[in-house]
Amino acid sequence: MLTRTLLLGAVSALAMASFAHAETLTIATVNNSDMVRMQKLTDDFAKKNPDIQLNWVTLEENVLRQRVTTDIATKGGQYDIMTIGTYEVPIWAKQGWLLPLDGLGKDYDKSDLLPAIDAAVSVDGKLYASPFYGESAMVMYRTDLAEKAGVKIPEKPTWDQIAEAAKKMTDKSTETYGICLRGKAGWGENMALLTATANSFGARWFDEKWHPQFDQPEWKKALKFYVDLMKEAGPPGASSNGFNENLALFQTGKCGIWIDATVAASMLTNPKESKVADKVGYALFPTGGVENHGNWLWAWNLGVPASTKKAEAAQKFVSWATDKAYTELVASKEGWANVPPGTRKSLYANPEYQKAAPFAKITLDAMNAANTTKPTVKPVPYTGGQFVAIPEFQGIGTAVGQQFSAALAGSVSVDQALQSAQQLTIREMTKGGYIK
């Protein structure tokens, strides 16, 4: 009996010692459903890595961007893993703020990444963040409301066709709104949508000499169209609505057309989350009269800041959360339709996924249609799609987004918003040395 007691005591002491020496990874992430699902599935990671503990910091998108940007720029060291977008990866990698991911293991299979996504998170052939999910943007609409209104949305719609359908699908007496679009200010919130929309109208942020273009007719046409349509067929309080708010409106049957990230499709067609799961149709991002479908391309990625002292453990987690085995884990728990989309070629070649996800083909078509090296029909000195890939864009984009959100709220006119956007962008681009 004494021997058994001593043995149990020794085992307990070893377990305590192991726990005491466990590394804790602090992970900053965004509060969307795919990331929340990842947190729920981390028991699988814990079983394989009992010496690594996880501490989650889950934040709303605008707050996440502000916190991680401040931390990495000041070498604060609060986080060991950061959820960052395709905008940040190349800029931060060139600043030396991110570690190259060369310890993801032999099962990671970088060659399986979709070429556009791989290019977006690599610098000089090295991976600096691993994509968790990728997206473009597309039209998602209620097939039953469209039928009831007697409208058809083609696979390649124009904005005029979308506006006509949205107005006919609106029934304010039942709080059913024809269209839901982002209005919440932020370079990655309303300005993601409005930059893509402006691209599709033939507008551009800057000319070849980095001079802002908000005083040009294409921007006025795009912004006026957006504001007028939202006032006529959008929900009240739209200037406060971002991705999550519009998602909730659509899932609860309050929205006829939603134009946003393709990743939303699985959330709209999941009967556990959506009241209209079996009534959703899809189309490419609209055009405003030019050959441009918005050029939206994005991925949420896991990156490891250079300030971490736990790089090896961090890369173990990044690999677990973004390799092919994780996709299969989600499929086994939640079904193939709910796996993180838009990152791997093998997913789109998988018959089970194609069968379970009616949005798979159009998602891939939308991603393949994006050309971030030529985001507009006019020549520009920048790359990007729904953003401009320069460090200053984060601040400028948010400031412009505040002006455009105010125009949607009715506190300033479209002309006033564009004039303010022009002035503040000229000021910041001159300060940054772009305008001589």
Side-chain angles (χ1 to χ4, degrees):
M1 184 72 180
L2 180 61
T3 303
R4 184 171 179 272
T5 303
L6 288 170
L7 183 61
L8 286 171
V11 170
S12 177
L14 280 169
M16 290 298 290
S18 173
F19 184 80
H21 290 96
E23 284 190 290
T24 299
L25 297 175
T26 299
I27 305 169
T29 195
V30 68
N31 65 340
N32 65 36
S33 62
D34 281 291
M35 298 302 186
V36 171
R37 181 181 290 129
M38 175 172 64
Q39 293 173 49
K40 291 177 181 175
L41 296 175
T42 50
D43 282 351
D44 180 79
F45 176 79
K47 287 174 188 172
K48 296 170 182 174
N49 300 275
D51 57 335
I52 300 174
Q53 307 293 316
L54 303 177
N55 174 38
W56 293 91
V57 180
T58 307
L59 302 165
E60 185 269 332
E61 188 169 323
N62 284 341
V63 178
L64 171 78
R65 288 193 168 110
Q66 184 180 27
R67 296 263 186 94
V68 299
T69 301
T70 300
D71 187 68
I72 203 162
T74 60
K75 298 183 172 69
Q78 288 186 64
Y79 311 113
D80 302 296
I81 298 168
M82 294 176 168
T83 304
I84 55 179
T86 46
Y87 165 76
E88 291 93 349
V89 177
I91 295 172
W92 291 6
K94 289 171 185 174
Q95 295 276 7
W97 293 350
L98 295 172
L99 293 178
L101 300 181
D102 49 15
L104 297 178
K106 64 181 187 304
D107 295 331
Y108 178 78
D109 193 6
K110 182 177 183 291
S111 66
D112 187 46
L113 296 177
L114 290 171
I117 297 296
D118 185 13
V121 293
S122 297
V123 176
D124 298 328
K126 288 185 178 180
L127 201 66
Y128 278 87
S130 182
F132 182 73
Y133 70 74
E135 64 184 35
S136 184
M138 66 182 177
V139 178
M140 295 160 279
Y141 65 94
R142 287 274 300 280
T143 53
D144 57 328
L145 292 182
E147 186 177 350
K148 182 180 176 182
V151 295
K152 287 188 176 181
I153 296 176
E155 188 173 308
K156 296 181 178 180
T158 64
W159 277 109
D160 286 340
Q161 289 170 323
I162 291 295
E164 180 188 2
K167 291 168 187 175
K168 289 182 177 178
M169 292 162 77
T170 298
D171 184 354
K172 294 184 179 178
S173 67
T174 61
E175 296 185 322
T176 303
Y177 303 98
I179 194 159
C180 302
L181 299 174
R182 298 187 190 192
K184 182 189 290 184
W187 73 266
E189 276 283 6
N190 68 335
M191 289 314 299
L193 173 82
L194 288 172
T195 298
T197 301
N199 289 343
S200 73
F201 274 84
R204 54 184 174 170
W205 265 80
F206 304 103
D207 67 12
E208 300 96 314
K209 295 183 178 179
W210 291 104
H211 201 274
Q213 298 293 289
F214 296 110
D215 58 353
Q216 297 302 301
E218 294 90 350
W219 261 108
K220 181 171 181 177
K221 185 178 179 183
L223 187 61
K224 187 175 187 305
F225 177 90
Y226 161 81
V227 169
D228 289 348
L229 176 59
M230 289 296 287
K231 284 181 178 177
E232 188 166 352
S239 61
S240 299
N241 291 348
F243 177 90
N244 286 330
E245 292 79 10
N246 287 326
L247 170 65
L249 284 168
F250 200 105
Q251 287 176 327
T252 54
K254 301 293 185 185
C255 180
I257 300 170
W258 183 27
I259 302 172
D260 213 299
T262 54
V263 72
S266 66
M267 306 168 202
L268 300 183
T269 54
N270 185 342
K272 294 178 184 177
E273 300 175 357
S274 175
K275 291 182 179 178
V276 296
D278 59 342
K279 302 178 180 68
V280 187
Y282 311 96
L284 288 174
F285 196 93
T287 64
V290 299
E291 282 299 314
N292 187 316
H293 287 283
N295 262 330
W296 180 309
L297 186 71
W298 185 257
W300 278 117
N301 316 280
L302 299 181
V304 178
S307 57
T308 185
K309 294 179 172 58
K310 304 165 187 174
E312 186 179 344
Q315 290 198 63
K316 282 184 181 179
F317 180 81
V318 170
S319 182
W320 172 84
T322 58
D323 68 9
K324 287 186 278 189
Y326 178 80
T327 302
E328 290 165 5
L329 174 66
V330 176
S332 69
K333 302 286 186 181
E334 303 282 344
W336 276 105
N338 297 305
V339 304
T343 63
R344 291 188 172 272
K345 292 180 277 189
S346 56
L347 180 64
Y348 291 91
N350 186 327
E352 291 182 271
Y353 182 64
Q354 292 171 5
K355 182 180 178 182
F359 45 82
K361 182 183 182 299
I362 198 155
T363 295
L364 190 60
D365 288 347
M367 293 184 71
N368 287 336
N371 181 1
T372 57
T373 62
K374 191 182 177 185
T376 73
V377 293
K378 291 184 177 181
V380 292
Y382 58 87
T383 61
Q386 74 282 22
F387 59 84
V388 177
I390 58 173
E392 292 79 5
F393 184 74
Q394 186 161 295
I396 294 172
T398 296
V400 171
Q402 289 165 350
Q403 297 299 322
F404 292 174
S405 186
L408 180 59
S411 54
V412 299
S413 68
V414 166
D415 286 341
Q416 288 171 324
L418 288 167
Q419 185 179 4
S420 296
Q422 181 75 0
Q423 290 171 348
L424 73 87
T425 307
I426 288 173
R427 183 180 67 242
E428 294 304 315
M429 293 300 282
T430 303
K431 190 189 300 182
Y434 292 84
I435 300 175
K436 307 298 181 187

